Amino acid sequence: MSGDRLAQEVARCTGAFTRGADPAGRASTHVVTTVLRGLLRAAPHADVLPELREALVDGALSDDQREHLRCWGYRLDPPHGPASSLHTAQAVVALDRAARVLGETAGARAAREDGVRWLLACAERHHHACRDLENLREEVRRPRTDDPARHEVLNVRHFTAAWVVRALLSPGAREVARWDGLDAVRRERLDGAVAAVWAAQSEGIWLWGRSDSTDLRQPMWMTYQGLSALRAHAVWMYQPDRPAPLQ
């Protein structure tokens, strides 16, 4: 779109996305990472970007089940909720993009690297069907603008495996794995996530199963995310400068 139209939309977004105007959104890991990623692309010089990045960093939690590595739950404010591979992957993707656009503070770098290590620390044996890849649903509840005494409820579905693929393919994740000597572990986790993405489609259409019935939905966003994840993996796999494996 034109620069003027884009500037208007950015102003609307940043003006409405404050703690006073949208406390529910500012406390949601999913919402903050979505806005952060969008603004990094649409308005890389926006004043609010460092603030959103620091809110994301400050909202990380320590997981005593995985060596006290920092990760993310569905909320950035207490109560954070349980550690979540979906929200950790979303945070890693957003922080990686922020690092490439804004540069990176020491705190943001440490949090992002911990998030990558947390994703690599899954202890299950079969990474194509582990709990870290389970799809999630969440609700974002916020007061209605026309009647603050009432709330609107936004139901959000998350294709977890596609987000884990994006996180593990990020340049920062590749660097962390290389530094830590975990290239083989990252490849194993990545292969499992890609297999889960592939298994969720039928004839090129991705299917969302409903837990309360046998009906299957075909959301367009899920097919988009599935195709995007597989394309990113295929591009990464095609490295013509890498020697061919021995047959």
Side-chain angles (χ1 to χ4, degrees):
M1 64 176 66
S2 70
D4 289 344
R5 173 69 183 278
L6 183 60
Q8 292 174 9
E9 295 302 323
V10 167
R12 288 180 59 192
C13 175
T14 56
F17 196 58
T18 64
R19 285 198 173 274
D22 190 4
R26 286 295 294 263
S28 165
T29 303
H30 163 63
V31 177
V32 169
T33 55
T34 299
V35 174
L36 180 58
R37 293 193 331 272
L39 287 178
L40 284 166
R41 180 165 294 172
H45 302 295
D47 293 338
V48 74
L49 286 173
E51 177 186 341
L52 294 178
R53 179 183 61 187
E54 292 311 306
L56 185 57
V57 171
D58 292 343
L61 58 116
S62 174
D63 184 7
D64 59 3
Q65 301 297 312
R66 298 193 185 184
E67 301 179 356
H68 294 280
L69 291 166
R70 278 176 291 179
C71 58
W72 280 263
Y74 80 99
R75 281 176 52 87
L76 298 176
D77 297 337
H80 298 281
S84 162
S85 57
L86 177 277
H87 296 97
T88 299
Q90 290 179 337
V92 165
V93 170
L95 290 175
D96 189 86
R97 183 176 294 180
R100 285 179 279 139
V101 174
L102 305 176
E104 195 167 36
T105 65
R109 182 184 184 118
R112 174 180 58 78
E113 291 178 350
D114 259 16
V116 172
R117 293 184 176 105
W118 188 93
L119 290 171
L120 295 178
C122 174
E124 295 192 33
R125 293 181 57 188
H126 304 293
H127 295 291
H128 65 286
C130 64
R131 284 173 293 180
D132 274 8
L133 300 180
E134 291 180 357
N135 291 335
L136 296 181
R137 296 177 60 178
E138 69 174 284
E139 292 183 350
V140 179
R141 301 176 62 90
R142 61 186 184 188
R144 287 174 44 170
T145 56
D146 60 335
D147 185 359
R150 302 175 63 187
H151 285 73
E152 63 178 351
V153 180
L154 307 177
N155 291 291
V156 185
R157 297 179 178 87
H158 298 292
F159 189 5
T160 302
W163 279 104
V164 172
V165 169
R166 290 182 63 179
L168 294 181
L169 282 175
S170 66
R174 298 200 296 268
E175 289 179 357
V176 169
R178 185 168 62 252
W179 293 335
D180 292 358
L182 296 174
D183 279 327
V185 172
R186 186 185 75 92
R187 181 63 176 265
E188 181 183 4
R189 304 295 192 273
L190 179 58
D191 286 349
V194 170
V197 170
W198 176 261
Q201 59 82 37
S202 176
E203 298 182 354
I205 303 297
W206 268 258
L207 307 174
W208 180 276
R210 296 179 58 182
S211 59
D212 56 347
S213 75
T214 59
D215 293 340
L216 293 175
R217 298 180 179 180
Q218 300 177 342
M220 186 176 295
W221 62 264
M222 192 176 185
T223 289
Y224 170 78
Q225 289 188 7
L227 290 172
S228 296
L230 293 182
R231 178 186 182 278
H233 182 254
V235 170
W236 174 74
M237 287 290 291
Y238 179 70
Q239 300 178 48
D241 56 335
R242 185 174 62 183
L246 296 176
Q247 299 297 321

